Amino acid sequence: MILDKSVRLCLLNDFYGALLTKNQQDVLDSYLNFNLPLVEISQSLNITRQAVLDTIKKASNKLEEFEKKLGMLKKYLMQMELVEKNGKSIFAEKMLNVWKQE
């Protein structure tokens, strides 16, 4: 399953966002969930626009690192593919196998 870059970032934030710093969480929340422009985020947090952009990039890289190490998004997407292909009846049985894979 191929995801749009912004959708992927939203999902990664859902899985690993709590592992980011409070500042990174605030910036990403404003950017992803409220769809605020960088200027508005910078004004509301009293930081520069460049600082907002840097924070988004650093937080995105951290989220990708977490995914590389833990692979929760990959496993979630595998589950969704199983549901689409096999239906919900077989899903519970096959889901256990997905989480056992490394």
Side-chain angles (χ1 to χ4, degrees):
M1 181 179 289
I2 299 174
L3 296 177
D4 179 63
K5 189 176 180 179
S6 60
V7 172
R8 179 178 173 80
L9 185 57
C10 285
L11 288 171
L12 288 174
N13 190 47
D14 288 345
F15 280 111
Y16 308 115
L19 301 173
L20 299 173
T21 66
K22 176 72 171 124
N23 183 53
Q24 289 172 333
Q25 289 176 18
D26 292 343
V27 169
L28 273 186
D29 186 50
S30 297
Y31 181 70
L32 296 173
N33 298 328
F34 295 104
N35 201 27
L36 295 178
L38 301 180
V39 173
E40 283 189 38
I41 298 170
S42 67
Q43 290 172 348
S44 68
L45 297 175
N46 207 20
I47 58 177
T48 66
R49 182 187 171 281
Q50 186 61 43
V52 171
L53 188 59
D54 289 344
T55 301
I56 291 170
K57 287 181 182 180
K58 286 178 185 177
S60 299
N61 289 337
K62 273 189 174 182
L63 293 173
E64 289 291 349
E65 286 177 31
F66 294 140
E67 174 59 18
K68 190 174 182 180
K69 291 178 183 178
L70 301 172
M72 291 176 62
L73 178 58
K74 179 182 174 184
K75 291 178 180 180
Y76 171 77
L77 294 175
M78 289 172 67
Q79 285 180 348
M80 294 302 102
E81 283 184 33
L82 287 173
V83 169
E84 288 175 12
K85 290 179 183 176
N86 301 307
K88 293 182 181 179
S89 60
I90 303 173
F91 173 69
E93 181 182 319
K94 292 196 175 198
M95 182 178 68
L96 296 173
N97 292 330
V98 170
W99 287 101
K100 290 178 184 176
Q101 294 177 6
E102 291 184 23

